[in-house]
Amino acid sequence: MLISSKNNSHSRNKANLICQALYIDLEEEDTEEDKLYKKYSSWDQTPDILLEEIFSYLTIRERYYASLVCRSWYRAFKLQNVWSTFTLEDTTLTRGKFNYYSGWQYVLDHIRTSTCLNKVGRNFRTLVFEPMLNFYNLYEFMNMISWYAERQGSDNTSVAGVGTYIRRLKFTFPCNMANRDDPDRIRVFGTGGKLLEALKRLMRNLQNLRCLELIDLMLDSNEALHLMDDICTNCTQTLSKLILINTTRYNCPLLHVGVFINLNVLVISPQNLHEDIIELIGYTKLRHLHILQNRYSPKDTTIRLPKRSSWIKMKKSNPYLKVHFEIESHKASDILLPIDLLEHSAIPCHSIVLDNPNTQLSPSMVLTHGAFFDSTIRVYAFKGVTRYYLHRSFAKRLDEALVQFCRMCPNLHTLVAFCI
């Protein structure tokens, strides 16, 4: 197959034209003279293990075009590891449809989606739903995956294996859809209704999950209480990583996280924690608890960490658990998670990562972190360059407090600080 540019000059003879081209596949209709003048490459001899790695980085459209290069690449298009991660975006498996009021729109092509699931759906190991504004496409695709997982080849329109081998599900809801281009003007919306029903149906059919990530759902409390019911039934022993970031918009404890006995990593927002949850995870095999507050998390005085007594009980039941604080904020007026209270000195804090370039931290707060977590903390980091004025005098800057912090924490091995 020809993959390089051709000479547009019609005056040159056939031999000169052929010599300027690069060919991969041998054409059956080629004569001996053609084979003599044609120059062949060895791209078609690339090992499958490399082709799988290359194809895995491409989008579905790019994979299709790459499969047209030669027979070897066409065969690699259907290899298992190429489709181990499937990411759904607004234009994935869609076709253009003209709407009289909205103009041209991308709508999910059910025939193309069905063909994709029949051919390579059984190879899916990771299913990722990026933040999408076309809720119709998202709703329809989740229902199609669920339908295939429920049928499992019981009729002529489905194949067995779709959904059976999926080990990781990541779902991110675009809660700031009103001001996506202006992160400083946040207007939060939550999911629910038919879209939430489709998500719960999908989770119910993925019975071999190892990792579940639900990000920025912003549910009402009554909806969140039953969100994880099916996951608790099917994945009590299999789930090893659970990420629940802003599952609810307001304070609502999620007791389901204490059911997974083999859970190793838990990432959760502070509004979904409670004293009972901390005591429950003490009886699991959890090793890393990440308490994450991002730009969409509620930031007010009502959000508090569990009390000291629950952390003491947890440490007795699970002495190997490490707590990580990750705080993201882009407004100077935001109230950050209060982790500098004397009541929380019993927390086995392993790392603190702060991403708040517009909020000026005081030296007293840094020294408080060092005084409370001196024996446990390993990582202390400020992400991003600060956007506030720093005093020219070294004594009035944060540098002296950071040096003293390092002296107070003998087990500290990583310090990241950006200052200007």
Side-chain angles (χ1 to χ4, degrees), residues 278-284 287 311-320:
I278 298 301
E279 294 183 23
L280 280 175
I281 63 178
Y283 298 100
T284 66
R287 289 295 177 265
W311 294 103
I312 294 177
K313 293 179 181 179
M314 185 271 296
K315 287 173 63 176
K316 292 181 179 179
S317 304
N318 190 351
Y320 302 103

Side-chain angles (χ1 to χ4, degrees), residues 326-346:
E326 301 178 27
I327 301 173
E328 173 191 337
S329 174
H330 289 267
K331 289 185 178 181
S333 59
D334 285 340
I335 300 176
L336 301 182
L337 186 66
I339 59 176
D340 56 339
L341 302 177
L342 182 61
E343 185 179 5
H344 300 134
S345 59

